């Protein structure tokens, strides 16, 4: 019988295996689980060197897997002018930016004033805009940007607009100082090239905040070199306390013709060669096995760039949103990346955006089949009934921010006006994916949303914001089992790591967390009260206090 380095016993251990088995004890050697069972059977694995840990009935489960977020953006937001997701008037926002800018200009001779934690649709009065002239009044000698939480809109003052070197800025954008979708992200990337020391500070902050939530594995949904260099530096110094996976974006302009596809693939291969390593039980590291595509934009005002089958309900405007790729070119690219085993991860919000992505995936699978490739569509905010059978048939994973299933009644009315009563019936319907037998992987999408996973789980289960009586009732409520599996084993499946993480089973990594209460025994309105007591990665206790 194999002897254990450590045995955890007298616990309430949720395995998240295929049968959702509960155990009382677990034995670990070299960062891997060697046995699960009752106390008597597992304690047989001890010898004089085995560490014995009495759990005193505490609840244990696999470490959480957040399969879609932007950890570096999230952590850097907390270190800049952070409006903290507050619903504020335009004048209140400008006061906060002005106060921060005054402090910044006193302390720094140069540099960029960066504002985060803001969403234009949430700014009061509804429909108001933040524009270039507003920021010019704060300063014309320091560049200022305000980057929206959804990462699809960036407002600049005149000086900032003049300093961008790699961004194609349309004439309309120059008038208002508003960059949308791809150009907004490219502009933010260009100016946030931190020093190595500061990047390490951001990476440490990111892993601390995520460990605090019980997260042991993440997938950065838009991996860049600055972030992954910092995370890899932590890995090399044995300081990394997360398994950090990433999806490398291949923008449409990288393969505007068929002849450009080899170069687009070569660039991605070079990124993978620098930052992609195999995860082991005792050595968390960085891994790149996904490729990212922004198929469409967002539903919210003022952009309305999510791609719809029928126009938005906008007075006097015939607008169906945007698609950022050519179908033939994307299909050809996916046909080639299928052969390499890369998993496509696609931003799809509107119903026609989902159509487009599914069409490309289906055509590429027919042209270049590879059963090991796991395509995933992220967000899927506006679906239609026929989508679910196509997801199932193509084995496409739905990556959902489950908390988006809830909204205030005012927001629901606004979306109903924007989309119409027929379409709103299929707006933010995670339950329909579960009912169709589709794997659903949870992604917080931090910092688009605040980082509080246990609040997200409760909101997704009840389809109600915390403290709000209104329930978005176009879909059923979710169970705690569904939600926890989406944040563990099903998210691990999406990442292609279900044989290593996501459940507590023999031969898997000992990535687990200890909670202060059993979520299976809680009322669904008490889930947000759950606190993480301990986090273990490869059997090693992580200090996040």
């Amino acid at each position: 019988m194999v002897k254990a380095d450590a045995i955890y016993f007298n616990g309430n251990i949720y395995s998240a295996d295929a049968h959702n088995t509960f155990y009382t004890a677990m034995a670990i050697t070299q960062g891997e689980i060697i046995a699960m069972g009752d106390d008597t059977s597992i304690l047989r694995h001890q010898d004089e060197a085995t560490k014995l840990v009495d759990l005193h009935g505490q609840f244990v489960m696999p470490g959480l897997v957040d399969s879609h977020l932007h950890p570096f953006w999230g952590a850097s937001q907390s270190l800049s002018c952070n409006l903290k997701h507050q619903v504020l008037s335009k004048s209140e926002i400008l006061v906060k930016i002005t106060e921060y800018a005054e402090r910044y200009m006193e302390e720094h001779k140069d540099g960029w004033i960066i504002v985060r934690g803001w969403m234009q649709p949430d700014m009061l009065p509804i429909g108001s805009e933040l524009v270039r002239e507003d920021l010019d009044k704060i300063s014309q000698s320091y560049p200022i940007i305000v980057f929206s939480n959804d990462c699809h809109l960036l407002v600049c003052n005149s000086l900032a607009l003049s300093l961008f070197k790699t961004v194609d800025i349309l004439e309309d954008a120059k008038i208002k100082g508003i960059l949308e979708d791809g150009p907004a992200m490219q502009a933010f990337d260009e100016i946030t090239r931190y020093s190595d020391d500061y990047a390490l500070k951001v990476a440490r902050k990111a892993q601390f905040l995520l460990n605090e939530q019980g997260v042991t594995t993440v997938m950065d949904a838009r991996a860049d070199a600055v972030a992954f260099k910092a995370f890899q530096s932590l890995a090399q110094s044995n300081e990394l306390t997360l398994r950090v996976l990433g999806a490398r974006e291949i923008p449409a302009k990288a393969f505007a013709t068929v002849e450009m596809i080899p170069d687009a693939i070569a660039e991605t291969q070079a990124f993978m060669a620098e930052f992609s390593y195999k995860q082991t039980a005792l050595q968390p590291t960085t891994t790149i096995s996904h490729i990212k595509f922004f198929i469409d934009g967002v539903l919210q005002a003022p952009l309305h760039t999510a791609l719809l089958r029928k126009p938005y309900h906008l007075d006097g405007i015939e607008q169906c949103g945007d698609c950022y790729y050519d179908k033939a070119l994307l299909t050809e690219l996916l046909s080639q990346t299928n052969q390499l085993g890369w998993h496509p991860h696609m931003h799809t919000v509107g119903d026609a955006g989902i159509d487009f992505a599914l069409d490309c995936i289906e055509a590429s699978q027919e042209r270049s089949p590879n059963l090991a490739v796991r395509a995933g569509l992220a967000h899927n905010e506006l679906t239609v009934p026929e989508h679910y059978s196509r997801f199932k048939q193509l084995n496409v994973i739905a990556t959902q921010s489950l908390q988006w299933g809830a909204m205030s009644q005012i927001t629901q009315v606004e979306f109903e006006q924007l989309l119409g009563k027929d379409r709103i019936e299929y707006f933010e319907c995670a339950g329909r994916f579960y009912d169709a037998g589709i794997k659903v992987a949870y992604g917080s999408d931090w910092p688009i949303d605040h980082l509080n996973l246990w609040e997200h789980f409760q909101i997704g289960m009840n389809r109600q914001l915390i403290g709000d009586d209104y329930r978005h009732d176009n879909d059923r409520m979710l169970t705690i089992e569904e939600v926890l599996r989406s944040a563990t084993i099903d998210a691990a499946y999406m990442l292609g790591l279900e044989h290593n993480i996501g459940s507590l089973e023999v031969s898997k990594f000992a990535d687990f967390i200890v909670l202060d209460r059993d979520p299976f025994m809680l009322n669904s309105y008490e889930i947000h009260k759950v606190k993480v007591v301990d986090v273990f990665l490869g059997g090693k206790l992580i200090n996040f206090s």
Side-chain angles (χ1 to χ4, degrees):
M1 180 177 289
V2 178
K3 297 304 178 183
D5 294 336
I7 290 175
Y8 295 82
F9 67 100
N10 190 25
N12 180 20
I13 304 174
Y14 170 59
S15 68
D17 66 10
H19 305 289
N20 289 305
T21 310
F22 281 80
Y23 298 99
T24 64
M26 171 172 62
I28 298 168
T29 292
Q30 290 295 301
E32 293 187 0
I33 299 169
I34 61 168
M36 303 285 297
D38 59 28
D39 289 358
T40 301
S41 63
I42 299 304
L43 286 169
R44 295 192 185 112
H45 289 270
Q46 70 175 300
D47 61 16
E48 63 279 0
T50 301
K51 178 182 178 181
L52 298 179
V53 180
D54 187 342
L55 291 166
H56 299 287
Q58 286 179 299
F59 185 88
V60 174
M61 64 172 287
L64 298 177
V65 180
D66 192 336
S67 68
H68 184 105
L69 77 167
H70 308 276
F72 213 74
W73 281 357
S76 64
Q77 175 173 297
S78 67
L79 299 169
S80 62
C81 177
N82 184 7
L83 299 180
K84 300 180 179 179
H85 304 260
Q86 298 176 85
V87 177
L88 301 168
S89 68
K90 178 177 176 179
S91 60
E92 289 172 327
I93 287 169
L94 290 172
V95 167
K96 288 182 178 292
I97 297 173
T98 300
E99 290 174 348
Y100 176 86
E102 288 172 350
R103 293 194 303 271
Y104 183 92
M105 290 185 286
E106 285 180 5
E107 298 170 5
H108 302 83
K109 294 182 179 180
D110 54 23
W112 289 70
I113 296 170
I114 299 173
V115 184
R116 302 290 307 281
W118 167 82
M119 284 279 281
Q120 180 109 303
D122 294 337
M123 188 169 66
L124 301 176
I126 298 298
S128 57
E129 276 191 317
L130 195 64
V131 296
R132 174 181 57 80
E133 290 181 354
D134 297 318
L135 301 182
D136 281 345
K137 291 175 183 176
I138 296 174
S139 177
Q140 296 187 39
S141 55
Y142 283 71
I144 303 174
I145 64 161
V146 183
F147 193 34
S148 175
N149 261 12
D150 62 12
C151 305
H152 288 263
L153 188 145
L154 185 143
V155 186
C156 329
N157 68 351
S158 297
L159 181 57
L161 275 173
S162 70
L163 294 176
F164 293 126
K165 299 177 181 177
T166 62
V167 184
D168 295 327
I169 302 176
L170 302 175
E171 287 304 315
D172 288 347
K174 293 178 181 178
I175 295 170
K176 288 190 173 183
I178 296 175
L179 307 182
E180 300 177 356
D181 291 331
M185 297 180 207
Q186 292 158 16
F188 188 72
D189 286 346
E190 181 180 314
I191 66 169
T192 52
R193 297 306 179 202
Y194 309 117
S195 68
D196 289 348
D197 286 344
Y198 190 78
L200 282 172
K201 179 179 179 180
V202 174
R204 289 190 179 100
K205 180 76 170 180
Q207 67 180 14
F208 166 80
L209 293 172
L210 287 158
N211 289 155
E212 195 174 37
Q213 295 290 317
V215 176
T216 53
T217 299
V218 298
M219 189 179 85
D220 186 327
R222 189 170 177 266
D224 70 69
V226 173
F228 273 71
K229 182 180 178 182
F231 284 126
Q232 187 51 226
S233 293
L234 292 180
Q236 291 172 5
S237 61
N238 294 317
E239 296 178 77
L240 188 63
T241 60
L242 287 171
R243 303 189 190 280
V244 183
L245 284 83
R248 180 63 170 170
E249 184 187 5
I250 306 181
K253 68 179 183 181
F255 59 105
T257 66
V258 171
E259 291 74 22
M260 294 173 68
I261 288 177
D263 287 341
I265 290 175
E267 189 281 333
T268 306
Q269 287 175 318
F271 190 87
M272 291 178 171
E274 185 173 1
F275 297 115
S276 192
Y277 298 86
K278 184 179 180 180
Q279 300 284 339
T280 65
L282 296 174
Q283 291 291 324
T285 188
T286 58
T287 306
I288 308 288
S289 56
H290 289 68
I291 44 178
K292 176 68 178 288
F293 304 93
F294 285 94
I295 301 301
D296 62 355
V298 294
L299 289 166
Q300 291 89 340
L303 301 185
H304 305 309
T305 49
L307 187 63
L308 304 185
R309 290 182 172 189
K310 296 178 181 179
Y312 292 87
H313 292 186
L314 301 170
D315 290 340
I317 302 175
E318 186 84 359
Q319 181 174 333
C320 289
D322 298 323
C323 182
Y324 300 123
Y325 290 88
D326 174 87
K327 184 175 285 188
L329 287 172
L330 182 55
T331 298
E332 176 58 30
L333 176 72
L334 292 176
S335 299
Q336 295 189 33
T337 59
N338 281 352
Q339 298 172 26
L340 299 170
W342 297 353
H343 309 299
H345 187 72
M346 299 182 170
H347 168 111
T348 52
V349 171
D351 50 10
I354 297 170
D355 291 337
F356 181 95
L358 293 174
D359 288 347
C360 292
I361 291 167
E362 182 172 14
S364 68
Q365 287 181 358
E366 291 173 354
R367 194 179 301 178
S368 180
N370 184 346
L371 295 177
V373 171
R374 296 171 183 174
L377 302 191
H379 309 313
N380 310 304
E381 293 188 62
L382 185 65
T383 55
V384 294
E386 56 265 33
H387 282 158
Y388 308 115
S389 59
R390 293 195 72 193
F391 269 80
K392 181 69 173 175
Q393 174 191 354
L394 297 170
N395 193 32
V396 173
I397 299 143
T399 303
Q400 302 296 118
S401 298
L402 300 175
Q403 69 275 17
W404 293 1
M407 61 196 71
S408 70
Q409 190 166 9
I410 292 173
T411 301
Q412 196 276 341
V413 170
E414 290 173 351
F415 275 113
E416 186 170 314
Q417 292 171 346
L418 183 66
L419 301 172
K421 288 188 176 180
D422 290 341
R423 288 191 289 194
I424 204 72
E425 284 302 306
Y426 288 88
F427 179 54
E428 299 291 2
C429 293
R432 299 178 194 266
F433 284 106
Y434 290 103
D435 291 343
I438 297 159
K439 284 195 183 297
V440 177
Y442 163 79
S444 69
D445 212 10
W446 179 52
I448 283 72
D449 262 344
H450 68 291
L451 187 66
N452 191 323
L453 274 66
W454 296 94
E455 279 193 9
H456 292 180
F457 298 160
Q458 174 174 315
I459 292 168
M461 289 171 65
N462 297 318
R463 299 182 68 77
Q464 283 179 264
L465 298 173
I466 292 175
D468 192 340
D469 292 333
Y470 177 74
R471 190 173 86 84
H472 187 211
D473 62 0
N474 63 333
D475 195 19
R476 69 169 175 83
M477 297 168 70
L478 305 179
T479 67
I480 186 64
E481 181 181 294
E482 288 171 331
V483 168
L484 292 184
R485 290 187 69 84
S486 287
T488 53
I489 188 60
D490 290 343
Y493 178 88
M494 191 209 89
L495 300 179
L497 288 179
E498 77 278 10
H499 297 300
N500 300 123
I501 64 170
S503 62
L504 301 179
E505 301 182 71
V506 172
S507 298
K508 287 194 172 187
F509 301 165
D511 296 356
F512 63 97
I513 58 177
V514 181
L515 306 182
D516 69 341
R517 63 198 78 191
D518 179 351
F520 286 89
M521 300 302 293
L522 295 177
N523 179 292
S524 65
Y525 292 94
E526 297 178 318
I527 299 299
H528 74 283
K529 297 178 181 178
V530 169
K531 301 297 181 187
V532 177
V533 177
D534 287 315
V535 176
F536 293 82
L537 193 67
K540 178 183 177 182
L541 178 64
I542 302 301
N543 179 14
F544 61 90
S545 61

